[in-house]
Amino acid sequence: MDSHEQLTNGLKKGAIVAISSAPFGILFGAIAVDNGFSITEAALMSGLVYGGASQLVGIELFGHHVAAWVIVLSILAVNFRHILYSAALTPVLGRYPHVQRWLAFFLLVDPQFAETVKREDSCKPATFRWYFAMGAVVWVSWILTTVIGAFFGRMIGDPKALGIDVLLPIYFLGLTMGFRSRHNFIPVMLAGAIGSVAAFHIVGSPWHISVGAALGILVAAILPPPKMHEEPDVSEIEREAM
């Protein structure tokens, strides 16, 4: 693909993600004002933190006047998966110059990771032009939908009473199922799910996210890797031909 096609494709991918993630941005904005944030403060948090799940956890803890160190550790637990994302994308992000690489790290959220992996798997290089085009659209839309949710948040009332809070788990489930064709998907997914549910009841939220992720990684490391296609033995083929 030439530069124009990379830019266009990145913008299209970003637009699709922006539309699908709009309810979460609106949900965060509504919850933010419900916990005492102003519209400006909610928009700044979305623009600077830029992490849907961690923002929702953080805003709830802010509303309950929890100690700052607890909030930081809780957000770290939720965002632990981003360490895994950056490690998995080392072959991709390592191709970018340093400045572009740091910008790519900032834009590395869940859909950005998923689409980048899918693009590389389809033998299409995830160039920085493509990566940034997609990420910028999602980032801007996240801020805009946060403002919309914050502006109309008082009209919504309690988002949980309307069942809007279930949107985030459904969204993550959709991202996970996008990798269902990968090797050892079922055992790794089940290990992560069981570990997360067990940890939720034992140690509570948000630590169950990191525990589930760690257990999934452990199972993935123990299970055998996918079998590589073996090259045919040339001498054996020649003997059969004689």
Side-chain angles (χ1 to χ4, degrees), residues 126-232:
T127 62
F128 180 76
R129 182 183 295 270
W130 174 89
Y131 188 101
F132 180 76
M134 176 185 170
V137 171
V138 179
W139 181 72
V140 171
S141 70
W142 179 251
I143 298 174
L144 292 177
T145 52
T146 295
V147 172
I148 294 172
F151 185 77
F152 293 102
R154 294 181 178 86
M155 300 180 185
I156 297 175
D158 184 8
K160 294 182 179 178
L162 301 176
I164 301 177
D165 56 316
V166 304
L167 292 174
L168 194 63
I170 293 174
Y171 174 71
F172 278 114
L173 179 61
L175 285 179
T176 302
M177 292 306 296
F179 294 94
R180 62 187 180 278
S181 61
R182 290 210 156 199
H183 182 71
N184 287 334
F185 169 80
I186 292 180
V188 172
M189 182 270 295
L190 287 176
I194 294 172
S196 180
V197 171
F200 179 80
H201 292 284
I202 297 173
V203 298
S205 176
W207 303 102
H208 66 294
I209 298 176
S210 296
V211 172
L215 188 57
I217 294 170
L218 179 62
V219 171
I222 294 174
L223 292 175
K227 294 181 178 179
M228 303 298 292
H229 295 291
E230 296 183 357
E231 293 294 332

Side-chain angles (χ1 to χ4, degrees), residues 2 19 47 98 103 107 119 158 183 187 196 199 211 228:
D2 59 27
I19 293 172
H98 285 289
L103 183 56
L107 296 174
R119 185 172 177 84
D158 184 8
H183 182 71
S196 180
V211 172
M228 303 298 292

Side-chain angles (χ1 to χ4, degrees), residues 44-117:
L44 283 173
M45 188 173 187
S46 282
L48 298 177
V49 177
Y50 189 43
S54 59
Q55 287 180 229
L56 289 170
V57 170
I59 208 71
E60 289 285 354
L61 295 177
F62 275 125
H64 289 86
H65 304 289
V66 177
W69 68 270
V70 176
I71 297 176
V72 172
L73 285 180
S74 298
I75 291 178
L76 177 63
V78 174
N79 280 351
F80 178 79
R81 67 189 188 281
H82 289 267
I83 298 176
L84 308 178
Y85 289 169
S86 60
L89 291 184
T90 297
V92 178
L93 304 186
R95 299 196 298 255
Y96 304 161
H98 285 289
V99 175
Q100 294 180 354
R101 193 179 308 168
W102 286 108
L103 183 56
F105 285 142
F106 176 75
L107 296 174
L108 184 55
V109 290
D110 301 290
Q112 189 82 25
F113 168 76
E115 291 297 334
T116 302
V117 171

